Coordinates of all heavy atoms in Angstrom, one line a residue:
Chain M
Q988 N 15.4 -14.9 7.9 CA 14.6 -13.7 7.8 C 13.3 -14.2 7.0 O 12.8 -13.5 6.2 CB 15.2 -12.6 7.0 CG 16.4 -12.0 7.8 CD 16.6 -10.6 7.4 OE1 16.0 -10.1 6.5 NE2 17.5 -10.0 8.1
P998 N -5.8 -14.8 8.2 CA -6.6 -15.3 9.4 C -8.0 -15.7 8.9 O -8.5 -16.7 9.4 CB -6.7 -14.1 10.3 CG -6.2 -12.9 9.6 CD -5.4 -13.4 8.5
H1064 N -4.9 -7.8 12.5 CA -4.7 -9.2 12.3 C -4.5 -9.5 10.8 O -5.3 -9.1 9.9 CB -5.8 -10.1 12.8 CG -6.1 -9.8 14.2 ND1 -5.1 -9.4 15.1 CD2 -7.2 -10.0 15.0 CE1 -5.7 -9.3 16.3 NE2 -6.9 -9.6 16.2
G1065 N -3.4 -10.1 10.5 CA -3.1 -10.6 9.1 C -2.8 -9.5 8.1 O -2.8 -9.8 6.9
W1067 N -0.1 -8.3 7.3 CA 1.1 -8.6 6.4 C 0.9 -9.9 5.7 O 1.7 -10.4 5.0 CB 2.3 -8.7 7.3 CG 2.9 -7.4 7.7 CD1 2.7 -6.7 8.9 CD2 3.6 -6.5 6.8 NE1 3.3 -5.5 8.8 CE2 3.9 -5.3 7.6 CE3 4.0 -6.6 5.5 CZ2 4.6 -4.3 7.0 CZ3 4.7 -5.5 5.0 CH2 5.0 -4.4 5.7
R1155 N -11.3 7.5 21.3 CA -12.0 8.7 21.0 C -11.2 9.7 20.2 O -11.7 10.5 19.5 CB -12.5 9.3 22.3 CG -13.7 8.6 22.9 CD -14.3 9.4 24.0 NE -15.2 10.4 23.6 CZ -15.5 11.5 24.3 NH1 -14.9 11.8 25.4 NH2 -16.4 12.4 23.8
R1246 N -0.3 18.8 13.8 CA -1.4 17.8 13.6 C -2.8 18.5 13.4 O -3.7 18.0 12.8 CB -1.5 16.9 14.8 CG -1.7 17.6 16.1 CD -1.6 16.6 17.3 NE -1.6 17.3 18.6 CZ -2.1 16.8 19.6 NH1 -2.8 15.6 19.6 NH2 -2.1 17.4 20.8
Q1274 N 16.8 4.5 8.3 CA 17.5 5.8 8.5 C 17.8 6.4 7.1 O 17.7 7.7 7.0 CB 18.8 5.6 9.3 CG 19.2 6.8 10.0 CD 20.6 6.6 10.6 OE1 21.5 6.2 9.9 NE2 20.7 7.0 11.8
N1433 N 6.1 6.8 28.2 CA 5.8 6.5 29.6 C 6.9 5.8 30.3 O 7.0 4.6 30.4 CB 4.5 5.6 29.6 CG 3.9 5.7 31.0 OD1 4.2 6.4 31.9 ND2 2.9 4.8 31.2
G1435 N 9.8 3.8 31.8 CA 10.6 2.7 31.3 C 9.7 1.6 30.7 O 10.2 0.4 30.7
Q1436 N 8.5 1.9 30.3 CA 7.6 0.8 30.0 C 7.7 0.2 28.6 O 7.0 -0.7 28.3 CB 6.1 1.2 30.2 CG 5.8 1.6 31.6 CD 5.3 0.4 32.4 OE1 5.5 -0.7 32.0 NE2 4.7 0.7 33.6
I1438 N 8.7 -2.1 25.5 CA 9.2 -3.4 25.3 C 9.8 -3.5 23.9 O 10.0 -4.6 23.4 CB 8.2 -4.5 25.6 CG1 7.0 -4.3 24.7 CG2 7.9 -4.6 27.0 CD1 6.0 -5.5 24.7
Y1446 N 3.6 1.0 12.4 CA 2.3 1.6 12.0 C 2.4 3.1 11.8 O 1.4 3.8 11.6 CB 1.2 1.2 12.9 CG 0.8 -0.2 12.5 CD1 1.4 -1.3 13.1 CD2 -0.1 -0.5 11.5 CE1 1.1 -2.6 12.7 CE2 -0.4 -1.8 11.1 CZ 0.2 -2.8 11.7 OH -0.1 -4.1 11.3
R1454 N 9.9 3.8 17.9 CA 10.5 2.9 18.9 C 11.9 3.4 19.4 O 12.2 3.3 20.6 CB 10.6 1.5 18.4 CG 11.5 0.6 19.2 CD 11.5 -0.8 18.6 NE 11.9 -0.8 17.2 CZ 11.7 -1.9 16.4 NH1 11.1 -3.0 16.9 NH2 12.0 -1.8 15.2
S1475 N 0.3 5.7 19.5 CA -0.2 5.5 20.8 C -1.3 4.5 20.9 O -1.4 3.7 21.8 CB -0.8 6.9 21.3 OG -1.7 6.8 22.3
R1480 N 1.6 -1.5 25.4 CA 1.9 -1.3 26.8 C 1.5 0.1 27.2 O 1.9 0.6 28.3 CB 3.4 -1.5 27.0 CG 3.8 -2.9 26.8 CD 3.3 -3.9 27.9 NE 3.7 -5.2 27.7 CZ 3.2 -6.2 27.0 NH1 2.1 -5.9 26.3 NH2 3.7 -7.4 26.9
K1484 N 2.0 8.9 24.3 CA 0.8 9.8 24.5 C 1.1 11.1 23.7 O 2.2 11.7 23.9 CB 0.6 10.1 25.9 CG -0.6 11.0 26.2 CD -0.8 11.1 27.7 CE -2.1 11.7 28.2 NZ -2.5 13.0 27.7
N1503 N 18.3 0.8 36.2 CA 18.8 0.7 37.5 C 18.7 2.0 38.3 O 18.9 3.0 37.8 CB 20.2 0.2 37.4 CG 20.6 -0.6 38.6 OD1 19.9 -1.4 39.1 ND2 21.9 -0.4 39.0
D1504 N 18.3 1.8 39.5 CA 18.1 3.0 40.4 C 19.4 3.5 40.9 O 19.7 3.4 42.1 CB 17.1 2.6 41.5 CG 16.6 3.9 42.2 OD1 16.8 5.0 41.7 OD2 15.9 3.7 43.2
N1514 N 32.9 9.3 37.6 CA 33.5 9.3 36.2 C 34.4 10.5 36.1 O 35.1 10.6 35.2 CB 32.3 9.4 35.2 CG 31.6 8.1 35.1 OD1 31.9 7.1 35.7 ND2 30.5 8.1 34.3
Chain A
S459 N 12.9 -8.2 19.3 CA 12.1 -8.1 20.6 C 11.3 -9.4 20.8 O 10.3 -9.6 20.1 CB 11.2 -6.9 20.5 OG 10.4 -6.8 21.7
M468 N 0.5 -13.1 14.3 CA -0.8 -12.5 14.1 C -0.8 -11.6 12.8 O -1.9 -11.1 12.5 CB -1.1 -11.6 15.3 CG -1.4 -12.4 16.6 SD -1.2 -11.5 18.1 CE -2.6 -10.4 18.0
G469 N 0.4 -11.5 12.2 CA 0.4 -10.7 11.0 C 0.4 -9.2 11.1 O 0.2 -8.4 10.2
H470 N 0.7 -8.7 12.4 CA 0.8 -7.3 12.6 C 2.1 -6.8 12.1 O 2.2 -5.6 11.6 CB 0.7 -6.9 14.0 CG -0.7 -7.2 14.6 ND1 -1.1 -6.5 15.8 CD2 -1.7 -8.1 14.3 CE1 -2.4 -7.0 16.1 NE2 -2.7 -7.9 15.2
H475 N 10.5 -6.1 11.4 CA 9.9 -5.0 12.2 C 10.2 -5.2 13.7 O 10.2 -4.2 14.5 CB 8.4 -4.9 12.1 CG 8.0 -4.6 10.6 ND1 7.3 -5.5 9.9 CD2 8.4 -3.6 9.8 CE1 7.1 -5.0 8.7 NE2 7.8 -3.9 8.6
K477 N 13.0 -6.0 14.9 CA 14.4 -5.7 15.2 C 14.6 -4.3 15.6 O 14.4 -3.4 14.8 CB 15.3 -6.1 14.0 CG 15.4 -7.5 13.7 CD 16.6 -7.8 12.8 CE 16.1 -7.9 11.4 NZ 17.1 -8.3 10.4
E480 N 18.7 -1.4 13.0 CA 18.9 -1.9 11.7 C 20.2 -2.7 11.6 O 21.1 -2.5 12.5 CB 19.0 -0.7 10.7 CG 17.7 0.0 10.5 CD 17.8 1.1 9.5 OE1 18.1 0.9 8.3 OE2 17.5 2.3 9.8
T583 N -6.6 -15.3 16.4 CA -6.6 -14.5 15.1 C -6.6 -15.4 13.9 O -6.9 -14.9 12.8 CB -5.3 -13.6 15.1 OG1 -4.2 -14.4 15.0 CG2 -5.3 -12.6 16.2
Y716 N 11.9 -5.7 31.5 CA 12.5 -4.5 32.1 C 13.6 -4.8 33.0 O 14.6 -4.1 33.1 CB 11.4 -3.7 32.9 CG 10.1 -3.5 32.1 CD1 8.9 -4.1 32.4 CD2 10.2 -2.7 30.9 CE1 7.8 -3.9 31.6 CE2 9.0 -2.5 30.2 CZ 7.9 -3.1 30.5 OH 6.7 -2.9 29.8
R719 N 16.7 -5.6 31.1 CA 17.4 -4.3 30.6 C 18.2 -3.7 31.7 O 19.3 -3.2 31.5 CB 16.3 -3.4 30.1 CG 16.8 -2.3 29.3 CD 15.6 -1.5 28.7 NE 14.7 -1.0 29.8 CZ 13.5 -0.5 29.5 NH1 13.0 -0.5 28.3 NH2 12.8 0.0 30.5
H732 N 33.1 0.8 37.0 CA 32.3 1.4 38.1 C 31.5 0.3 38.7 O 30.4 0.1 38.3 CB 31.4 2.5 37.6 CG 32.0 3.4 36.6 ND1 33.0 4.2 36.9 CD2 31.8 3.5 35.3 CE1 33.4 4.9 35.8 NE2 32.6 4.4 34.8
N737 N 20.3 -2.6 41.5 CA 19.5 -1.9 42.5 C 18.2 -1.4 41.8 O 18.1 -0.2 41.6 CB 20.3 -0.8 43.1 CG 19.5 -0.1 44.2 OD1 18.7 -0.8 44.9 ND2 19.7 1.1 44.5
S744 N 4.1 -4.6 33.0 CA 2.9 -4.3 32.2 C 2.6 -5.5 31.3 O 3.6 -6.3 31.0 CB 3.0 -3.1 31.4 OG 4.1 -3.1 30.5
Y755 N 2.4 -0.8 39.3 CA 3.4 0.0 39.9 C 3.4 -0.3 41.4 O 2.3 -0.3 42.0 CB 3.2 1.5 39.7 CG 3.2 1.9 38.2 CD1 1.9 2.1 37.6 CD2 4.3 2.0 37.5 CE1 1.9 2.5 36.3 CE2 4.3 2.3 36.1 CZ 3.0 2.5 35.5 OH 3.0 2.9 34.2
R802 N -4.5 3.8 31.2 CA -3.0 4.0 31.2 C -2.6 4.9 32.3 O -3.3 5.9 32.5 CB -2.6 4.5 29.9 CG -2.8 3.5 28.8 CD -2.4 4.1 27.4 NE -2.5 3.1 26.4 CZ -2.3 3.3 25.1 NH1 -1.8 4.4 24.7 NH2 -2.4 2.3 24.2
M803 N -1.5 4.6 33.0 CA -1.0 5.5 34.1 C 0.4 5.9 33.8 O 1.1 5.2 33.1 CB -1.1 4.7 35.4 CG -2.5 4.4 35.9 SD -3.4 5.9 36.4 CE -5.0 5.3 36.8
H805 N 4.1 6.4 34.5 CA 5.1 5.7 35.3 C 5.8 6.7 36.3 O 6.0 6.4 37.5 CB 6.1 5.2 34.3 CG 7.2 4.3 35.0 ND1 8.1 3.6 34.2 CD2 7.4 4.0 36.3 CE1 8.9 2.9 35.1 NE2 8.5 3.1 36.3
D831 N -3.9 8.2 29.5 CA -4.8 7.8 28.4 C -4.7 8.9 27.3 O -4.4 10.1 27.6 CB -6.2 7.7 28.8 CG -6.5 6.3 29.4 OD1 -5.8 5.4 29.0 OD2 -7.5 6.2 30.2
E833 N -5.7 11.8 24.5 CA -6.6 12.9 24.6 C -8.0 12.5 24.3 O -8.2 11.6 23.5 CB -6.1 14.0 23.7 CG -4.8 14.6 24.1 CD -4.1 15.2 22.8 OE1 -3.9 14.4 21.9 OE2 -3.7 16.3 22.9
F834 N -9.0 13.2 24.9 CA -10.4 13.0 24.7 C -11.0 11.7 25.3 O -12.1 11.4 25.1 CB -10.8 13.1 23.2 CG -10.3 14.3 22.5 CD1 -9.4 14.2 21.4 CD2 -10.7 15.6 22.9 CE1 -9.0 15.3 20.8 CE2 -10.2 16.7 22.3 CZ -9.4 16.6 21.2

Side-chain angles (χ1 to χ4, degrees):
Chain M
Q988 292 207 353
H1064 304 335
W1067 283 103
R1155 282 191 86 205
R1246 57 184 173 149
Q1274 202 188 49
N1433 199 9
Q1436 295 273 15
I1438 53 168
Y1446 285 89
R1454 165 177 55 195
S1475 158
R1480 297 292 183 270
K1484 182 176 192 305
N1503 209 35
D1504 194 9
N1514 286 356
Chain A
S459 175
M468 289 158 70
H470 294 203
H475 299 119
K477 289 195 264 186
E480 287 184 63
T583 63
Y716 309 113
R719 192 174 60 194
H732 319 292
N737 185 26
S744 59
Y755 302 101
R802 294 177 174 181
M803 293 289 179
H805 189 173
D831 275 335
E833 292 152 306
F834 307 120

